[in-house]
């Protein structure tokens, strides 16, 4: 097994274990066992658990945002693109093994200041930037993106803690109402 294959096996194992059990509950021994990568090679790939956690979160960020964007990109109408974010969330919430936001979960374990907090902020900033782009295509105030972000985070927390996959539907309804109100304000004399 070469370095790249070992690093990927370790990262895949860490991803599954960290998301399922929490970062602090998973030791490097469990990752070694799940990945089949010997400790010596594991630590050559990831010299510290903090580095492995950072890579896990960065990869999860890229995959999560790409999956959402791919789903949203199937729509052409600007308003429907905004609401499609919530449709995608509903699908994600219904997936087996859904445990909420890996970034919020990890931040809850580590707090601030930490590398985890920095990466969690980067993730939320990137999501906000993505929403800014969706909102920019509509005749609405740019504040709508921040309001949508709050609805998204609230839906994720509700779906995770309350085990309520319908939280996405409720957040979508609220987003739709906000969208209609903001669009009406922009066309009012």
């Amino acid at each position: 097994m070469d370095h790249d294959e070992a690093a990927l096996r370790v990262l895949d194992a860490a991803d599954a274990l960290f998301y399922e059990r929490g970062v602090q509950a998973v030791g490097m021994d469990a990752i070694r066992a799940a990945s089949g990568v010997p400790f010596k090679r594991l630590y050559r790939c990831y010299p510290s658990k903090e580095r492995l956690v950072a890579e896990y979160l960065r990869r999860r960020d890229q995959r999560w945002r790409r999956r959402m964007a791919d789903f949203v990109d199937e729509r052409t109408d600007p308003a429907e693109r905004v609401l499609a974010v919530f449709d995608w969330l509903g699908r994600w919430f219904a997936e087996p093994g859904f445990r909420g936001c890996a970034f919020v979960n990890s931040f809850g374990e580590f707090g601030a200041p930490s590398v985890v907090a920095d990466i969690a902020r980067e993730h939320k900033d990137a999501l906000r930037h993505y929403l800014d782009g969706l909102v920019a295509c509509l005749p609405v105030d740019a504040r709508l993106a921040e309001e949508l972000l709050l609805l998204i985070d609230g839906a994720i927390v509700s779906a995770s803690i309350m085990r309520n996959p319908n939280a996405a539907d409720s957040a979508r309804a609220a987003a739709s109402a906000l969208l209609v109100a903001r669009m009406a304000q922009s066309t009012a004399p």
Side-chain angles (χ1 to χ4, degrees):
M1 158 181 4
D2 68 9
H3 178 82
D4 291 343
E5 180 185 349
L8 184 59
R9 287 172 66 174
V10 169
L11 189 56
D12 287 343
D15 186 287
L17 293 170
F18 289 161
Y19 188 68
E20 178 187 339
R21 299 181 194 167
V23 173
Q24 292 191 13
V26 175
M28 295 301 270
D29 198 41
I31 293 168
R32 182 204 49 78
S35 68
V37 175
F39 270 126
K40 191 173 182 179
R41 171 129 334 174
L42 187 155
Y43 280 108
R44 269 193 236 131
C45 297
Y46 301 98
S48 68
K49 184 175 179 183
E50 181 180 79
R51 196 140 157 210
L52 179 58
V53 171
E55 188 61 31
Y56 148 72
L57 289 171
R58 286 188 179 107
R59 183 173 81 160
R60 186 164 277 269
D61 167 63
Q62 291 171 357
R63 288 186 309 168
W64 189 89
R65 288 187 300 114
R66 183 178 50 245
R67 285 178 58 209
M68 181 180 60
D70 288 348
F71 185 85
V72 170
D73 286 347
E74 294 174 5
R75 281 99 185 135
T76 55
D77 178 73
E80 281 303 312
R81 289 172 56 78
V82 168
L83 298 176
V85 169
F86 297 92
D87 297 335
W88 180 81
L89 288 174
R91 288 181 178 208
W92 177 45
F93 297 167
E95 288 177 4
F98 170 76
R99 281 194 59 325
C101 177
F103 305 92
V104 170
N105 295 346
S106 297
F107 181 85
E109 289 187 63
F110 288 89
S114 68
V115 170
V116 168
D118 294 340
I119 295 170
R121 277 188 213 91
E122 290 169 11
H123 169 74
K124 296 301 179 182
D125 286 343
L127 179 54
R128 168 63 192 272
H129 180 72
Y130 177 74
L131 295 170
D132 285 338
L134 292 178
V135 168
C137 298
L138 296 164
V140 296
D141 185 305
R143 289 178 305 148
L144 180 61
E146 181 66 30
E147 295 162 344
L148 294 171
L149 181 60
L150 292 171
L151 288 172
I152 290 167
D153 283 338
I156 294 169
V157 170
S158 180
S160 175
I161 293 173
M162 304 304 292
R163 297 181 185 201
N164 176 15
N166 297 323
D169 295 334
S170 298
R172 187 188 200 282
S176 181
L178 277 171
L179 191 55
V180 168
R182 294 291 188 266
M183 289 176 75
Q185 286 174 348
S186 73
T187 59

